[in-house]
Every structure is written in structure tokens, then in C-alpha cells.
Amino acid sequence: MQALWLAFDNFAGKGISVGIILKFLWYTTLIVAPQALPIGVLLSSIMTLGSLSENYEFAAAKSAGVSLQRMVRPIVFLAIFLSGINFLFLNYVYPYAMLKQLNMKVNIKKKQPAIALVAGGFNTEIPNFQIKFKEKYGEDDNLLKEVMIYDLSSKKGNNKIITAKRGEILSEEGSRYMTLVLKDGHYFEHHLKNGASLKEREKMPASYADFDEYTISIDISSFSDDNIDDLKYTKNFNMLSLAQLKDTLPTMKQSYDDFIASRAKNLFLSIDIEDLYQYPDSLVNNELSLNILDNFDLREKQNIILTATSKLERTINNNNSNKETLKNKRKYLNLYDIEFYNRVAFSLSCLLLFFIGAPLGSIIRKGGMGLPMILAIAIYVLYFFSNTFGRNLAEESSLTAITGSWLSVFLMLPLAITLTVRAAKDKGLFDINSFLAPIKNSIKNLFSKKEKTTE
């Protein structure tokens, strides 16, 4: 529900038709369904088995010779079936929903440019204009603070600059114009003539003025020609099925390896390492000093040091400039790699959380919506947090993709096994006596030994 309300809040009251909003919310529902199913299994298993234990129905079944394992066996098969459904959903429905939602979001922003404007940086989506503002506020998010606009419509660079303390966006659905009403601002334009020389451009006049209100009408007709269902982005990692990811990954890894090999080759050539052993040892002049610089005079030494320093600095700067590119390429590859393994790992979450919720419900012996709801939310938050944490570490190459994707399973599996074993043996959640008994026995043995020594 939180995801739906956030999606609805982004587009409600922005001049977008109800049909488009409902379609967008439908895609959002399909995206969050694989996350909602595991917590539904967890909560229902805690509530169901907790209610059976609370009403002593497990005790009645056991007295009739029916074991706990036999009673929950049909539910286990149901959990396995739901995990299979979750896998099919993640592999087919989720990529389709991501494909449609992302492209719809982009196309909606093109239909309503006011939505595309983001505070804090220059917005370049609107043709011939660069718009920056500090904050967007108001009931319809159409009021702006501290606006700066570069008008590039003359195709002569940033020669027309408009700043204002406040602004308002006015646009109607289907209109080819978006109107910006600026208030309490300043206008500056540097007049340039085509073909003018540098000295002439320096002498060109400029006009500037302060204004209380200034209106700009921006033609967005070319910006709004696209259909709302057009698909321009189709290759994102979360838009591909497992089979498509499997086909895409080898090509991406080969491209990444080729980039590393290319950079290594350039480094090899830049330091002239192949010339170090160009001559055989038999041709070495033994009269030369082993300290290479001692074989040259002062001026030549300076030239050699300057050349070496310059080449070294160039190599370091070149490597530093390529470092960020290499990091981004690796991170981009990791996203596809993580998505491949996470599809399988997350689909097993229904089965894993069932083996946590079912024994936990039989142990706490509490049904209803109170305590089971709190436990279900706490356990799922722990599972989801560990899953996100592992994916983020894998994205930064701190963990391998398979380890990061399966980290939540590795962490929660011991808990599931422990709770299942304790529930099967009809033990409580925490058996304090089992922890205190060894301590009591050791204390008793210690005092008994002291008494024997004193006697």
C-alpha cells in the first residue's frame, strides 16, 4: 500500500488522466507482488499455527497419534507451490511490469514536463532550455524557488540568462506550450552577431533588467509527440527474464574483459617496457655505470628526469581518469549478475519464511493479528534488509554476485532450522534451564571440590 500511495502521489493532480494513473498503479502492483507474497506466507503461517496451538488443537491431534510433521505436511506442499508461483512471477510478470512502468513513467514526463523537472540540478529534458531551481512545492508541485534559466533557443550558447526568486509552472493537458511565470527576478542577454570575430564579440552590447513578473512560453509540441505506451528502454537488468539475462551476461563480461585488456595494453606501450631488454648481455658495455644517470652530464640528467616525470604523471592521470569508467562498467555488469542469482534466491523466500513462521506460531501459541503481525514484520524486515545489504555489497564488488544474492538465505536458514527442530521436539522458544543447567552444575562441582579439600 505504501508503494501504491507513493506512486499515486507522484501523478495525482498533475493533469494526467485517471486511466493512465490506474494503469501505472496496476504495473506497480505487479512489481511489489513478489515482495508481498513472502510476508503474506510468513504472517498467515504464524497466525494459523499460533491459533491451533492456542486452542490446544495440536495437543488433541498428538493425543490421537497425529504428529506435528504430518499435520503441517499439506501446508509445506502449499509453501513449495507458492515459491514456484513466486519464481514464475519474478521471471515473467515482474520484468514485463518493470518494462511497461519505466517506459510509461518516461513518457508521462514527456507529456507533462513539469513532472520531469527535478530540484537541485539543471534539467535538460525540455528542448532549448536548461532550468535549475532549489525547491518545488505547492499543492500540485508547480511552484518553484530560486529559479535559474539558460535560454538556448538562439543556438549561440548561454548568452541569455534569467533568474528569479519564485516561479510557477502553468500547463494544460494537450497544450503545445508550457508557461513559466517568474517573479522578482533578473534578466541578462549578451547580444551576439553571427560571424563576428572575438574582438567584435567583446564589444557587443548586453541588455539586462530587473522585473517583478516575467512570462516564458515554451513550445513542447515536439516533446509530447510520443505515445504513452511507447517502449524505448527494453534492455535494463530488471526488464529481462532469466533466459535473457543468461544470454546477455556473457556478452557484457566479454566487453568488460576487452576493456581491461585494452587499458593494460595501453599502459604496457606507454612505459616502453619492451625496450628494457632490447640488447643481449654480450653487447653490454661494462665501462658504463650501473646507476644509469651517472653516465650522463647534468643537462642530460635534467632532461631525463623531466621526461620520466612527465610520462609518469601522464600515466597516473590517464589511469585515474579510467578508474571511474572501470568502476562504472563493473558496477553495471554486477547489476545484471546480481539480478540473475537474486531471481532464484528471492523466489525461495516463501518456503524459507514458512519454515520460520510455522514453527514460530506453534511455539508462541498465539493467534490473531497482534503478536503474529509484529513478529512477521520484524522477521521480514530482517530478511529484506539482509537481502538489500547483500545486493549492495555485491554491486560494489565487495562480495561476489552469488554470495550477495544468497546472503539473506544463508543468514535466515539457521533460524529456520533451529525453530523447526524446537517445534518438532515441542520445546519453547528459549529454554532458559538448558542454558543455566551447565552453569549450576559447574558451580556445584566447584563447591563440592572445595569441601573435599577442606576435609
Side-chain angles (χ1 to χ4, degrees), residues 22 29 59-60 79 85 121 171 177-178 189 197 230 246 251 255 262 295 301 340 365 370 409 411 440 452:
L22 291 177
T29 303
I85 294 294
S171 61
Y177 291 100
M178 182 181 74
E189 183 177 3
S197 63
D230 285 349
K246 188 176 181 180
T251 305
S255 176
S262 174
N295 299 306
K301 287 180 180 180
F340 180 80
R365 297 179 180 180
V409 177
L411 294 178
K440 291 179 179 179
K452 290 180 179 179

Side-chain angles (χ1 to χ4, degrees), residues 13 19 46 54 60 95 110 136 172 177 195 221 227 290 298 307-309 317 319-320 338 368 430 446:
I46 295 177
E54 186 179 15
K110 288 186 176 182
K136 184 192 290 186
E172 297 181 0
Y177 291 100
S221 56
N227 192 304
L290 294 177
L298 181 59
T307 302
T309 303
N317 291 334
N319 287 339
N320 288 336
I338 294 166
F430 298 106
L446 180 64

Side-chain angles (χ1 to χ4, degrees), residues 55-117:
N55 296 322
Y56 299 100
E57 295 185 26
F58 275 138
K62 288 179 182 179
S63 63
V66 181
S67 64
L68 176 64
Q69 294 89 330
R70 184 179 174 184
M71 288 186 64
V72 300
R73 190 179 302 159
I75 313 179
V76 173
F77 290 134
L78 177 62
I80 295 173
F81 174 74
L82 291 176
S83 291
I85 294 294
N86 205 27
F87 172 77
L88 295 176
F89 215 93
L90 283 168
N91 196 33
Y92 297 105
V93 180
Y94 173 80
Y96 169 78
M98 286 298 302
L99 171 70
K100 301 293 287 187
Q101 190 202 54
L102 177 60
N103 284 279
M104 178 176 281
K105 186 184 296 184
V106 173
N107 293 330
I108 287 174
K109 288 181 178 180
K110 288 186 176 182
K111 293 288 185 181
Q112 298 289 334
I115 301 176
L117 299 178

Side-chain angles (χ1 to χ4, degrees), residues 36-252:
L37 185 58
I39 193 173
V41 171
L42 176 64
L43 177 60
S44 59
S45 60
I46 295 177
M47 291 175 59
T48 302
L49 274 77
S51 178
L52 292 175
S53 297
E54 186 179 15
N55 296 322
Y56 299 100
E57 295 185 26
F58 275 138
K62 288 179 182 179
S63 63
V66 181
S67 64
L68 176 64
Q69 294 89 330
R70 184 179 174 184
M71 288 186 64
V72 300
R73 190 179 302 159
I75 313 179
V76 173
F77 290 134
L78 177 62
I80 295 173
F81 174 74
L82 291 176
S83 291
I85 294 294
N86 205 27
F87 172 77
L88 295 176
F89 215 93
L90 283 168
N91 196 33
Y92 297 105
V93 180
Y94 173 80
Y96 169 78
M98 286 298 302
L99 171 70
K100 301 293 287 187
Q101 190 202 54
L102 177 60
N103 284 279
M104 178 176 281
K105 186 184 296 184
V106 173
N107 293 330
I108 287 174
K109 288 181 178 180
K110 288 186 176 182
K111 293 288 185 181
Q112 298 289 334
I115 301 176
L117 299 178
V118 180
F122 280 101
N123 297 268
T124 59
E125 291 83 0
I126 298 177
N128 300 324
F129 286 90
Q130 292 184 359
I131 302 174
K132 180 181 179 181
F133 54 91
K134 183 178 180 181
E135 182 184 349
K136 184 192 290 186
Y137 64 102
E139 185 177 351
D140 297 329
D141 277 346
N142 64 330
L143 302 179
L144 311 177
K145 275 187 180 180
E146 298 184 16
V147 186
M148 176 182 290
I149 300 176
Y150 288 153
D151 187 347
L152 310 177
S153 56
S154 62
K155 309 297 182 181
K156 297 178 181 179
N158 299 334
N159 299 311
K160 188 175 180 181
I161 304 172
I162 305 170
T163 59
K165 291 184 179 179
R166 300 183 308 280
E168 183 179 3
I169 303 172
L170 301 176
S171 61
E172 297 181 0
E173 186 177 3
S175 175
R176 60 173 293 176
Y177 291 100
M178 182 181 74
T179 303
L180 281 176
V181 180
L182 305 176
K183 298 180 180 179
D184 194 9
H186 182 80
Y187 173 97
F188 173 86
E189 183 177 3
H190 190 193
H191 301 286
L192 294 178
K193 184 172 66 175
N194 291 334
S197 63
L198 178 61
K199 290 184 178 180
E200 291 177 338
R201 288 199 298 268
E202 291 176 350
K203 297 178 182 179
M204 288 291 178
S207 59
Y208 55 91
D210 295 326
F211 58 82
D212 294 328
E213 183 173 304
Y214 185 79
T215 302
I216 304 174
S217 295
I218 302 175
D219 187 358
I220 57 173
S221 56
S222 61
F223 200 58
S224 306
D225 290 338
D226 297 331
N227 192 304
I228 203 71
D229 292 320
D230 285 349
L231 301 178
K232 291 189 176 180
Y233 302 95
T234 59
K235 299 298 183 182
N236 285 16
F237 64 94
N238 48 15
M239 299 178 182
L240 305 177
S241 64
L242 281 177
Q244 292 171 325
L245 286 170
K246 188 176 181 180
D247 293 337
T248 305
L249 279 170
T251 305
M252 296 183 64

